[in-house]
Amino acid sequence: MLTFGHIYNIGRTLLSKLGLDPTYRKIFAIGFNKTATKSIDAVFAQAGLVSIHRTLWRSSNHPLIHWPYQAFSDGRPDDFARLDRRFPKALFILNTRDLGDWLDSRLEHYRHQRSKGTRPDYHAHRPTIEAVSSWIVERNHHHAAVLRYFAETTERLLVINYIREPDAARQIAAFVGGRPPAERPHIRSLATGRKDGILVNRELIEATFAALGVPPEEWNNDLLCPSLGDVDGLPADTRELSIA
């Protein structure tokens, strides 16, 4: 059911398309799932944005899904560059997380879904070295592609490690031009949660790193693993961005 907020955004999207509303921007969080996407969605809501935290918006083949909303989160889209062409003034957030912690959270997430019978047990989501390796390689490729794409328009990209960065919520609110949050939302997707800093699946994760040849000094990088190649000149971690 369309609400007033949805209709409002449809109208502003149309005016923006016609060049009559130059201040209106879509905001896309294009990092992978398990990178505090629910918390980021809560920041969007506190900033006064009509947002969607579902996977439906990820497909660029269904453009009308983007019209009723201003902000989007819950995993990476199939073609962020196409979204940028469709909404030329859009802002993008590359939400990320320390690599080992991200892998562990993903493994626990899919294990929980399988236990409920809501996740098909197909290869890409099995707790195997092959599956986890594919996640690492896919992450490296996506992060490198985003950083390269926005290299000349860095003002439209915010790279943020929400879980590590204490003032991440304030940074996001400032980036989207919304109200600063009264507090930093931290919403866990699993009711039980995981203890910070403790990897439940450490043995599998470290075995995967070894299989890929990822050295220990890269295990906590939140952007890239240089050992996997093709990332020359790009930051391996968000800590490097604050130094630049």
Side-chain angles (χ1 to χ4, degrees), residues 16 27 37 58 63 72 154 192 208:
S16 177
I27 298 112
T37 60
R58 294 184 197 170
F72 307 82
T154 55
T192 55
T208 304

Side-chain angles (χ1 to χ4, degrees), residues 77-143:
D78 61 357
D79 191 341
F80 69 87
R82 190 175 182 185
L83 292 176
D84 185 42
R85 293 191 297 271
R86 187 171 290 155
F87 303 104
K89 296 188 295 291
L91 299 174
F92 291 81
I93 299 171
L94 181 58
N95 41 300
T96 185
R97 184 174 186 172
D98 292 11
L99 178 55
D101 196 45
W102 175 69
L103 294 171
D104 200 46
S105 182
R106 249 195 171 195
L107 285 163
E108 288 303 287
H109 174 71
Y110 292 137
R111 179 176 288 115
H112 179 69
Q113 287 190 318
R114 286 194 300 272
S115 71
K116 296 194 305 179
T118 57
R119 168 65 63 175
D121 189 24
Y122 53 88
H123 176 75
H125 297 106
R126 291 175 183 168
T128 64
I129 289 177
E130 292 76 17
V132 178
S133 293
S134 71
W135 299 352
I136 297 171
V137 172
E138 183 183 21
R139 174 186 184 264
N140 228 53
H141 176 77
H142 177 61
H143 285 184

